[in-house]
Amino acid sequence: MAKSSADDIELRRACVSAIDDPTQKIIISIRVSMSRGIFTKSSKLGHQMAKPRVLALFTQSKGHSTTAFLRVLKYSTGGVLEPAKLYKLKHLSKVEVITNDPSGCMFTLGFDNLRSQSVAPPQWTMRSIDDRNRLLLCILNICRDVLGHLPKVVGIDVVEMALWAKENRPSVSTPRNVQDGGPVAFAVPETELKVNFEKELVSQAEEEEMEALLGSYVMGIGDAEAFSERLKRELQALEAANVHAILENEPLMDEVMQGLESATICVEDMDEWLATFNVKLRHMREDIESIETRNNMLVMQSVNNKCVIEELDKLLERLCVPSEYAASLTGGSFDEARMLQNVEACEWLTSALHGIEAPNLDPAYANMRARGQLKRPDHADLRYKCRTYARLLQHLKSLDKNSLGPLRKAYCSSLNLLLRREAREFANELRASTKASRNPTVWLEGSTGSGQNANATDTSTVSDAYAKMLTIFIPLLVDESSFFAHFMCFEVPTLVPPGGVADGNKAGYNDDLGIMDINENDSKSGKTSAELAALNESLQDLLNGIQEDFYAVVDWAYKIDPLRCISMHGITERYLSGQKADAAGFVRLLLGNLKSRISVQFSRFVDEACHELERNERTIRQMGVLSYIPRFATLATQMEQYISGQSRDLVDQSYTTFVGIMFVTLEKIAQTDPKYADMFLLENYAAFQNSLYELANIVPILAKFYHQASEAYEQACTRHISMIIYYQFERLFQFARRIEDLMFTVPPEEIPFQLGLSKMDLRKMLKSSLSGVDQSIALMYKKLQKNLVSEELLPSLWDKCKKEFLDMYEGFAQLVAKIYPTENIPSVAEMRELLASL
């Protein structure tokens, strides 16, 4: 590259003037032709359009950093250069010379920040190889020394470039600003340049080695192509020799491979053995650890047992009653001679009781509690003692019936205290020994998470405890009632005596009293009702107050899990249906009250859930499926698991209340935004059906609500789809509606002469409505998809929308055929095919 010609200087001046930025310094400017390749599916390089351009390389320094630009300038209509594009060299990733160009003057520059990678980068065609090399050398030197990186170079012979750089060691023209601000070119020797291409490609030592290598082949430094061909031939010969050597060594390789396979088999066998030994050793370690753990536990248990025995011995010393005091307290008389001993025994017992009470008792003992198995109270000794007076009561009844009243009241009062205490202690101990975590009572509230009860705790122990209470005390109360009725000589039918036959034990003993039926013929029908009323009154005195302990168990179970009211309701109903005897009148009344109490508690749960649902309806956003829809399915599934006996009616009533409130609330929320009300309703009714599909197949009341939701879903779908169709084809179907309205008053043949319904109006309407029918249908699909949260509903809704549109269009086509028989419109079949293709 010799001294810059006048043309090059003028070109530089024009480039600097076009940029008009004194902070940017021009390095080189060259005229080129631009052609952009357009890639298509059928060909890699499409049509090229050549355009004259100027490429100019600029640098700009800011502080210690330098930025390099490649500017593309184009000629305006008046022949003046003006900026067209700007590329930053820091993004230059590839320099490629087009190999299928015989001149070698065409190349491309690839940048990694191009937005569209589907369009090929621009191609530049230089006027000569020298211009190409000058530009590429400047670009590569700046990328290396200024920007610190080199792009990938493709299609350029490095040796050729090195030789060209050596033969063309010019002074480089560099622009310099003068006083008037215009750039002037001046010569700079090659030694003053910061960079040159030789430094990057070939060093002095490498050049000397290359000349020596070429000398060995009797070639000059300019015979690069011949040297390259010679090297290619030698490389091919070497590769062929390598292949031949590999083929000759194939037997040896086979032996080596066989040896390797044998070694691999041995290694695999050893690995299997080691794995087997490892498993055995691991099992041995686990066995040893288990044995050590058991031994440690046994040792600890032995030590603990010894300590417990010692402590119990100390405690027993304090609890042991001396024999002389025990005799006075249990069987001593109240004679004056023994009064002093009785007083001493009472004083000792009082001090002993104070000694085992806090704070005199050790706190470690004070916190101790005994847990035994809950059993039915045993009244065998009490009944055995009553046998002494059974015959006396029989005679007393026959001699003076009025004397039995005070006796019955006294007996009822005394035994009532005993039964109530036993029931209270049993209920308290039952609740204390039952371990159950409390379930949350909020099931349908929208403000909580939809899955809060998905992992509900097991509360079956609660209903089991209630069942145990009934199992123990209901038979006990029935037995006490029957015993009382027979012992106090009530002339009512009693239960079947143990080991006997009712009304067939004429010559034997009734119940376990050991008495005979004296006046067996006195039990007349007239007396029975009076005796039964008296018996029920006495049973009220006998058992009154015991129901409070049953209520306490019911309330306790409700607090832990309100849904357990369902199973308790079924248990109560089962016991109630088994009490048929007249002597069990109060027991039937008790069970009935328990059933009512359970129903009230469950109704309270239902009311609270519905109240929470209504209270939060204002805070729920109208979007997607409401949380209480799937939560109700979870609630219903769990309620079905608790059903037993006659509790079906109780559950069905709760379903009716729940679903009624849910549907009313759903409609209220939908009305807050009428624009999206139908979409909101159809999504929630569809979710209701999907969540209750399995239960609706087995629960009749839920099947009823399922069909109700299905009808509401279809109505919402119809409204929503009609709105979408009318929105896209409003003019078409309004035209049809006007025709239908006029057909009630105007003959069909006169309708085309009505204002706005002429054939010309029909054609205009068809042109505006059906000219882009495929786009209108696509917009109809997008509008149906918009704001739809439940994407799984889209296919079925789209099918309904297409069917509804076809039905409406078919009606319109029939009207046109009847009113405008000579007019042609797209047929229903064509419209059906169009919908099927979309």
Side-chain angles (χ1 to χ4, degrees):
M1 292 178 288
K3 183 179 179 180
S4 299
S5 63
D7 181 63
D8 291 339
I9 295 174
E10 192 64 29
L11 181 61
R12 290 191 181 204
R13 287 179 181 274
C15 292
V16 172
S17 178
I19 299 304
D20 193 19
D21 186 356
T23 63
Q24 297 187 14
K25 297 181 180 181
I26 187 168
I27 305 299
I28 189 172
S29 61
I30 299 178
R31 287 187 176 89
V32 297
S33 297
M34 187 195 77
S35 58
R36 181 179 296 276
I38 302 174
F39 288 99
T40 62
K41 293 183 178 178
S42 59
S43 62
K44 293 185 178 178
L45 188 61
H47 180 65
Q48 298 180 347
M49 298 174 289
K51 300 177 182 179
R53 295 289 189 269
V54 173
L55 289 181
L57 193 62
F58 288 83
T59 61
Q60 184 180 23
S61 298
K62 292 182 179 179
H64 297 287
S65 63
T66 302
T67 307
F69 306 97
L70 180 63
R71 289 188 177 273
V72 182
L73 298 98
K74 65 180 181 179
Y75 289 96
S76 64
T77 307
V80 179
L81 280 177
E82 60 182 16
K85 285 187 176 294
L86 175 67
Y87 300 97
K88 292 185 178 180
L89 288 186
K90 68 178 183 179
H91 297 295
L92 181 63
S93 60
K94 183 178 180 181
V95 178
E96 180 178 4
V97 174
I98 306 303
T99 57
N100 56 5
D101 178 26
S103 65
C105 297
M106 185 181 295
F107 66 94
T108 62
L109 300 178
F111 294 88
D112 56 12
N113 63 339
L114 291 180
R115 293 184 178 180
S116 176
Q117 300 297 333
S118 62
V119 178
Q123 299 178 356
W124 310 101
T125 304
M126 312 300 293
R127 293 177 298 178
S128 64
I129 294 294
D130 291 341
D131 286 351
R132 185 202 72 180
N133 291 343
R134 284 172 57 206
L135 179 63
L136 295 184
L137 282 174
C138 288
I139 291 175
L140 293 175
N141 286 334
I142 289 178
C143 287
R144 180 194 63 188
D145 295 332
V146 177
L147 304 179
H149 80 281
L150 278 174
K152 182 179 180 182
V153 181
V154 180
I156 301 178
D157 194 334
V158 177
V159 177
E160 181 183 351
M161 288 288 290
L163 295 175
W164 183 90
K166 183 177 181 180
E167 293 174 357
N168 297 270
R169 296 180 183 269
S171 298
V172 180
S173 297
T174 306
R176 183 176 182 181
N177 294 334
V178 295
Q179 293 180 356
D180 59 355
V184 176
F186 64 95
V188 179
E190 187 272 339
T191 56
E192 295 182 8
L193 289 176
K194 292 184 179 180
V195 295
N196 59 71
F197 191 75
E198 283 190 67
K199 292 181 181 179
E200 170 62 24
L201 299 178
V202 182
S203 65
Q204 184 65 31
E206 291 173 341
E207 182 179 354
E208 293 176 357
E209 292 177 358
M210 187 179 298
E211 290 179 351
L213 180 62
L214 292 173
S216 64
Y217 285 97
V218 195
M219 293 181 181
I221 196 68
D223 300 333
E225 294 184 359
F227 180 64
S228 178
E229 292 295 330
R230 179 69 176 272
L231 289 179
K232 290 180 180 178
R233 290 195 299 270
E234 290 188 1
L235 178 61
Q236 293 175 357
L238 290 174
E239 290 179 350
N242 288 337
V243 173
H244 182 70
I246 291 174
L247 294 176
E248 286 183 346
N249 294 330
E250 183 179 1
L252 297 177
M253 293 298 299
D254 292 340
E255 293 181 2
V256 173
M257 293 301 297
Q258 292 177 359
L260 290 176
E261 290 180 359
S262 301
T264 302
I265 294 173
C266 294
V267 170
E268 291 178 353
D269 294 341
M270 292 179 65
D271 185 64
E272 292 179 358
W273 294 339
L274 291 175
T276 303
F277 293 149
N278 189 24
V279 171
K280 292 182 178 179
L281 289 174
R282 186 172 68 251
H283 290 178
M284 291 178 63
R285 285 194 298 270
E286 291 176 355
D287 293 341
I288 292 173
E289 291 177 356
S290 176
I291 293 171
E292 290 179 351
T293 301
R294 289 197 298 268
N295 288 340
N296 293 336
M297 292 177 62
L298 290 174
V299 171
M300 185 180 298
Q301 184 178 0
S302 176
V303 174
N304 291 338
N305 289 341
K306 183 177 180 181
C307 295
V308 169
I309 291 174
E310 292 177 356
E311 293 295 328
L312 290 177
D313 289 339
K314 296 178 182 178
L315 185 60
L316 286 175
E317 291 179 359
R318 304 179 65 177
L319 298 177
C320 183
V321 180
S323 57
E324 62 274 13
Y325 295 148
S328 298
L329 292 173
T330 57
S333 63
F334 289 93
D335 296 339
E336 185 178 356
R338 297 187 58 86
M339 287 304 298
L340 182 59
Q341 298 177 356
N342 293 340
V343 171
E344 291 178 356
C346 292
E347 291 177 351
W348 180 91
L349 182 60
T350 301
S351 62
L353 291 176
H354 285 302
I356 60 176
E357 292 178 355
N360 299 322
L361 185 64
D362 191 335
Y365 297 139
N367 295 327
M368 292 177 62
R369 293 292 183 271
R371 289 285 179 263
Q373 183 178 3
L374 292 174
K375 297 181 179 180
R376 170 175 169 167
D378 188 7
H379 296 169
D381 292 342
L382 178 61
R383 295 187 182 183
Y384 181 78
K385 294 179 179 179
C386 289
R387 296 182 59 173
T388 307
Y389 307 97
R391 299 291 296 178
L392 178 62
L393 291 177
Q394 287 280 347
H395 291 289
L396 189 60
K397 177 184 177 182
S398 61
L399 296 175
D400 185 7
K401 292 183 178 182
N402 295 329
S403 62
L404 290 178
L407 290 176
R408 291 171 177 173
K409 287 186 176 294
Y411 179 89
C412 290
S413 177
S414 300
L415 192 60
N416 177 265
L417 295 175
L418 175 62
L419 292 175
R420 290 180 61 182
R421 187 189 68 186
E422 291 173 343
R424 182 173 58 257
E425 293 176 352
F426 189 92
N428 292 338
E429 195 65 30
L430 187 66
R431 294 195 298 269
S433 61
T434 301
K435 303 299 181 182
S437 300
R438 178 172 297 184
N439 259 355
T441 58
V442 179
W443 286 88
L444 300 178
E445 185 177 352
S447 61
T448 57
S450 61
Q452 75 171 25
N453 294 298
N455 298 321
T457 57
D458 182 17
T459 57
S460 57
T461 54
V462 173
S463 54
D464 293 342
Y466 176 77
K468 188 172 185 179
M469 183 77 177
L470 296 187
T471 302
I472 296 297
F473 271 88
I474 294 302
L476 175 64
L477 298 182
V478 172
D479 289 348
E480 290 296 336
S481 299
S482 300
F483 177 81
F484 172 75
H486 197 62
F487 178 60
M488 288 297 173
C489 304
F490 286 96
E491 297 179 358
V492 293
T494 58
L495 297 177
V496 178
V501 181
D503 297 332
N505 195 13
K506 301 297 183 181
Y509 290 91
N510 283 331
D511 210 340
D512 57 351
L513 299 177
I515 59 176
M516 298 286 293
D517 286 336
I518 299 177
N519 297 321
E520 58 187 34
N521 294 325
D522 291 341
S523 182
K524 304 297 182 180
S525 59
K527 296 181 180 181
T528 302
S529 58
E531 286 289 306
L532 188 58
L535 174 61
N536 290 332
E537 183 180 354
S538 297
L539 290 178
Q540 182 73 20
D541 296 335
L542 177 66
L543 304 176
N544 188 32
I546 199 172
Q547 66 271 16
E548 298 299 329
D549 298 303
F550 287 87
Y551 294 162
V553 174
V554 171
D555 296 342
W556 163 76
Y558 171 79
K559 291 179 181 179
I560 293 179
D561 188 359
L563 296 184
R564 285 296 166 184
C565 291
I566 301 173
S567 55
M568 292 192 298
H569 187 276
I571 295 170
T572 307
E573 182 66 31
R574 186 171 66 250
Y575 275 93
L576 184 59
S577 61
Q579 306 304 322
K580 302 296 183 181
D582 292 336
F586 183 84
V587 175
R588 287 196 301 272
L589 182 62
L590 170 63
L591 292 173
N593 293 336
L594 279 175
K595 181 180 176 182
S596 300
R597 181 87 169 202
I598 295 171
S599 299
V600 169
Q601 292 284 38
F602 188 71
S603 298
R604 173 187 169 192
F605 160 72
V606 174
D607 293 340
E608 289 178 353
C610 293
H611 175 69
E612 292 294 333
L613 191 67
E614 293 174 334
R615 186 172 62 86
N616 288 281
E617 70 179 44
R618 298 180 180 178
T619 62
I620 298 176
R621 295 184 61 191
Q622 186 196 31
M623 182 179 295
V625 178
L626 297 179
S627 61
Y628 65 72
I629 297 293
R631 289 168 61 80
F632 173 72
T634 303
L635 175 63
T637 301
Q638 193 158 357
M639 290 171 65
E640 290 296 322
Q641 297 174 356
Y642 294 164
I643 291 178
S644 61
Q646 300 296 322
S647 56
R648 164 55 63 188
D649 295 338
L650 181 69
V651 174
D652 288 349
Q653 292 175 4
S654 67
Y655 286 159
T656 302
T657 305
F658 278 139
V659 176
I661 295 296
M662 287 167 56
F663 284 178
V664 170
T665 304
L666 183 62
E667 295 290 341
K668 288 182 179 179
I669 297 174
Q671 295 307 317
T672 59
D673 192 353
K675 182 178 178 181
Y676 302 106
D678 292 328
M679 179 179 291
F680 176 74
L681 289 175
L682 67 89
E683 282 188 302
N684 280 273
Y685 282 124
F688 182 85
Q689 296 177 75
N690 293 334
S691 60
L692 287 180
Y693 177 75
E694 295 182 358
L695 285 178
N697 289 328
I698 57 177
V699 181
I701 189 68
L702 292 181
K704 171 187 173 183
F705 297 135
Y706 181 90
H707 293 303
Q708 182 179 344
S710 178
E711 293 176 359
Y713 169 79
E714 293 296 336
Q715 294 173 3
C717 284
T718 302
R719 293 192 300 269
H720 186 60
I721 290 171
S722 299
M723 182 270 294
I724 292 176
I725 294 174
Y726 273 105
Y727 182 81
Q728 294 300 134
F729 299 93
E730 182 177 4
R731 294 190 61 188
L732 180 70
F733 295 113
Q734 278 187 354
F735 195 88
R737 183 173 295 177
R738 290 180 61 191
I739 294 176
E740 291 175 348
D741 293 341
L742 284 176
M743 289 180 67
F744 290 104
T745 58
V746 179
E749 61 272 10
E750 296 181 5
I751 291 179
F753 302 101
Q754 301 297 318
L755 182 63
L757 295 177
S758 64
K759 292 183 178 180
M760 185 61 66
D761 294 329
L762 173 65
R763 294 174 188 146
K764 291 181 180 179
M765 182 274 297
L766 291 176
K767 183 178 180 180
S768 62
S769 298
L770 299 182
S771 58
V773 64
D774 53 345
Q775 297 179 359
S776 298
I777 293 175
L779 290 175
M780 190 165 60
Y781 177 81
K782 291 182 179 179
K783 188 169 183 62
L784 184 66
Q785 186 182 23
K786 184 180 180 182
N787 298 323
L788 184 66
V789 179
S790 303
E791 292 291 339
E792 65 276 6
L793 298 178
L794 184 59
S796 61
L797 287 177
W798 179 235
D799 291 339
K800 290 178 182 290
C801 186
K802 291 190 291 186
K803 183 178 182 302
E804 181 68 17
F805 175 75
L806 284 175
D807 293 342
M808 296 172 66
Y809 186 79
E810 184 176 4
F812 170 75
Q814 292 175 358
L815 286 176
V816 172
K818 185 176 181 180
I819 306 301
Y820 310 94
T822 59
E823 296 295 323
N824 293 324
I825 65 172
S827 65
V828 178
E830 292 175 351
M831 199 63 66
R832 184 178 291 107
E833 292 179 0
L834 178 61
L835 287 173
S837 64
L838 295 177

